[in-house]
Amino acid sequence: MHPGFRPHRVVVLALDGLLPFELGIPHRIFGRPKDERGRHLYEVITCSIRPPGPVETDADFAIHVTHGPEALATADTVIVPASYELGPVFERGELTDELAAALARIRPGTRLASICTGVYVLAAAGYLDGRPATTHWADAERLQRLFPRVEVDPDVLFVDDGSILTSAGVAAGIDLCLHMVRRDHGAVVANEVARRTVVPPHRDGGQAQYIRRPVPDPQQASTSGARAWALNRLHEPIQLRDLAARESMSVRTFTRRFREEAGVSPGQWLTQQRVERVRHLLESTELSVDQVARDAGFGTAQSMRQHLQAALGVTPTAYRRTFRAGAAGCPQPVDNSAAP
């Protein structure tokens, strides 16, 4: 046993009016990962801004929280789920004295994250000034209006800005937590958590696909067949016209439909899938960097290196060194705070 082993502590801040579903997401996702010795890689605790006691939810029950705000001072990561009773935080962008005192306990350098409207708390505290962030698409305009210094992106499922991460509504909190596990311990660990939770390890696209639009013609063709076809051929050159031909569409129509369904362009989607393939191969095989590049469809190691650097802020060698080392112990997170 490693004498210095200590699980990464995730402290979830429970505020009155919280959504029970969202409160449970961090516990479900971070409570799963273990190392090869069976030790939990994360310790998840819930705290309130008041002494231990009941916290109201938006349902017909309250929860009893056994930790007060002092727990925030012990956190490696603090997560703020959504709440429907943020009061002056939501109305005027101002923290209450009680909430401000609790947040002041968080140590410098602690990773911060929010689910849905929990972002209002981070914004009101000034953590997001000059930084990108997201929230549920229905609240994005209000967030931007209330906090003009925040760079609000209403179209994405989550934003990773290094030490601060924000997500859209409800299920996007699962995407965000899986992303943090993937960032900390690699795709293999995150994919296993997703498999056990029976959710996709990575969802394509962004919030744009969930915004209400006129009901589409049921006779319209989908692009899902082309995506499935491409996933089995990532190692091969794939042209846009090949994808369109799979669905018997013109390139123009296919591109429009693809973006409507996946939230990104076909080219962006292919790159995302190939980067995920690279991560899996670097973690789970002994293939050379050149072989990984060919198997993932990037062709050359230089092309793969550029795409991985753009996506994660690390080189293939650094990524493999970090997460292959995890097979013999507890891997250290890749620092991608400087990633674009």
Side-chain angles (χ1 to χ4, degrees), residues 251-264:
V251 168
R252 182 176 180 179
T253 298
F254 178 84
T255 300
R256 185 181 71 251
R257 297 260 178 89
F258 193 101
R259 187 178 288 276
E260 289 173 352
E261 294 177 13
V264 293

Side-chain angles (χ1 to χ4, degrees), residues 58-313:
D58 76 327
D60 63 342
F61 58 85
I63 61 170
H64 184 85
V65 177
T66 58
H67 298 279
E70 66 281 352
L72 293 169
T74 71
D76 299 303
T77 294
V78 171
I79 299 179
V80 185
S83 166
Y84 282 142
E85 296 182 15
L86 292 176
V89 177
F90 188 76
E91 295 163 5
R92 301 188 300 276
E94 300 173 0
L95 297 175
T96 63
D97 291 343
E98 193 175 36
L99 181 53
L103 296 176
R105 295 174 178 266
I106 299 174
R107 296 173 299 173
T110 300
R111 182 167 63 181
L112 304 175
S114 64
I115 300 175
C116 195
T117 56
V119 71
Y120 280 83
V121 174
L122 300 185
Y127 293 123
L128 297 176
D129 287 353
R131 305 185 75 150
T134 193
T135 188
H136 192 290
W137 59 265
D139 286 297
E141 185 178 346
R142 179 184 179 83
L143 180 68
Q144 186 66 87
R145 186 169 63 251
L146 202 58
F147 303 102
R149 297 184 64 185
V150 179
E151 300 170 11
V152 179
D153 186 343
D155 296 327
V156 296
L157 295 176
F158 61 83
V159 170
D160 179 347
D161 194 39
S163 61
I164 301 182
L165 303 93
T166 54
S167 75
V170 194
I174 299 175
D175 298 311
L176 176 66
C177 291
L178 283 172
H179 171 75
M180 286 194 279
V181 172
R182 188 180 300 111
R183 199 177 95 171
D184 291 346
H185 299 290
V188 171
V189 173
N191 290 351
E192 178 61 17
V193 173
R195 188 178 71 84
R196 288 183 173 273
T197 311
V198 198
V199 296
H202 178 82
R203 283 198 293 164
D204 299 327
Q207 294 193 72
Q209 60 192 308
Y210 300 107
I211 298 173
R212 182 179 297 171
R213 298 186 179 90
V215 177
D217 182 346
Q219 301 302 314
Q220 281 189 342
S222 166
T223 63
S224 59
R227 292 198 296 276
W229 178 82
L231 285 174
N232 290 323
R233 294 166 177 79
L234 290 178
H235 60 287
E236 301 175 1
I238 298 175
Q239 302 297 323
L240 180 56
R241 62 177 178 272
D242 299 328
L243 293 170
R246 298 299 302 179
E247 304 293 0
S248 301
M249 298 181 191
S250 69
V251 168
R252 182 176 180 179
T253 298
F254 178 84
T255 300
R256 185 181 71 251
R257 297 260 178 89
F258 193 101
R259 187 178 288 276
E260 289 173 352
E261 294 177 13
V264 293
S265 71
Q268 290 170 322
W269 180 85
L270 272 174
T271 298
Q272 290 172 355
Q273 304 312 310
R274 284 174 166 149
V275 166
E276 286 302 307
R277 177 69 174 160
V278 166
R279 295 172 75 160
H280 173 75
L281 293 174
L282 289 174
E283 292 179 38
S284 60
T285 74
E286 299 293 344
L287 294 175
S288 69
V289 170
D290 287 332
Q291 288 173 309
V292 170
R294 288 194 297 271
D295 284 3
F298 283 121
T300 67
Q302 178 61 25
S303 175
M304 180 182 73
R305 188 174 295 109
Q306 290 173 348
H307 283 95
L308 198 67
Q309 186 78 38
L312 305 179

